Amino acid sequence: MIEKVLNKLIFYGLERGLIEKDDEIWARNTLMGLLKLSDWRETEEASEHRELYEILEDITDYAAEKGLVNDDITSRDLFDTAVMGLLTPRPSSVRKKFWNEYKENPEKATNWYYGFSGDTYYIRRSLLYGKYKTLWENRGEGSSRN
């Protein structure tokens, strides 16, 4: 049921501070519009933890099944970016927060922005972790070192 997945994404947005509690209905309606949903079925709160990439993959799979997005890598990437764009604060808000943090501590501002970029899926952590995990597991292959 797609509503359960969308609820997970909305909860993620609330948890990460991308949206506020007052934005919850707006976020749901905006996501419904993107997915061409005309009705909302309430669901029980999902208790299992899901990573953001898993949630976005389920939403994108749904959109592909319904013909809302082509089922190729580029189209899927653009679609999940559009989904996250609905939960991402406007650039003016992001810049304001960054520069306010920067005035106090440039390193803190940079760390905040890096975390924010991962939370909004601009930096695709799952891909980075997968790449580095593979590099770590394959370290030393093809060399005389172990």
Side-chain angles (χ1 to χ4, degrees):
M1 178 179 291
I2 191 63
E3 291 87 354
K4 186 174 183 178
V5 179
L6 294 177
N7 275 335
K8 283 299 249 183
L9 182 61
I10 292 166
F11 179 75
Y12 173 89
L14 289 165
E15 184 180 59
R16 299 297 172 127
L18 302 176
I19 60 172
E20 297 179 19
K21 186 70 174 159
D22 289 343
D23 301 323
E24 190 172 354
I25 292 172
W26 169 85
R28 181 188 73 197
N29 291 342
T30 306
L31 290 164
M32 287 177 65
L34 181 68
L35 295 173
K36 309 286 189 229
L37 296 172
S38 57
D39 295 320
W40 182 264
R41 293 175 296 213
E42 288 298 328
T43 63
E44 291 183 23
E45 184 67 33
S47 58
E48 80 279 356
H49 173 77
R50 309 245 356 258
E51 294 294 331
L52 178 59
Y53 77 90
E54 296 171 313
I55 296 168
L56 291 172
E57 188 174 89
D58 286 349
I59 293 169
T60 306
D61 287 346
Y62 173 89
E65 288 169 14
K66 298 296 182 184
L68 301 173
V69 65
N70 291 332
D71 198 10
D72 60 75
I73 293 171
T74 301
S75 298
R76 292 176 68 88
D77 281 352
L78 291 172
F79 185 81
D80 67 29
T81 299
V83 169
M84 286 309 295
L86 300 176
L87 297 182
T88 301
R90 302 297 166 247
S92 58
S93 298
V94 175
R95 280 193 302 272
K96 183 177 181 180
K97 179 162 178 62
F98 175 82
W99 288 114
N100 285 338
E101 294 280 343
Y102 190 88
K103 288 177 198 172
E104 291 182 32
N105 183 326
E107 185 176 349
K108 182 180 174 185
T110 303
N111 289 339
W112 170 82
Y113 188 71
Y114 180 78
F116 171 81
S117 296
D119 291 346
T120 58
Y121 211 54
Y122 184 74
I123 295 174
R124 295 174 184 244
R125 291 178 180 143
S126 59
L127 297 177
L128 286 175
Y129 295 153
K131 179 179 179 180
Y132 289 120
K133 180 180 179 203
T134 300
L135 289 172
W136 176 257
E137 290 171 348
N138 294 328
R139 71 189 183 285
E141 286 185 13
S143 72
S144 58
R145 295 182 305 152
N146 287 333

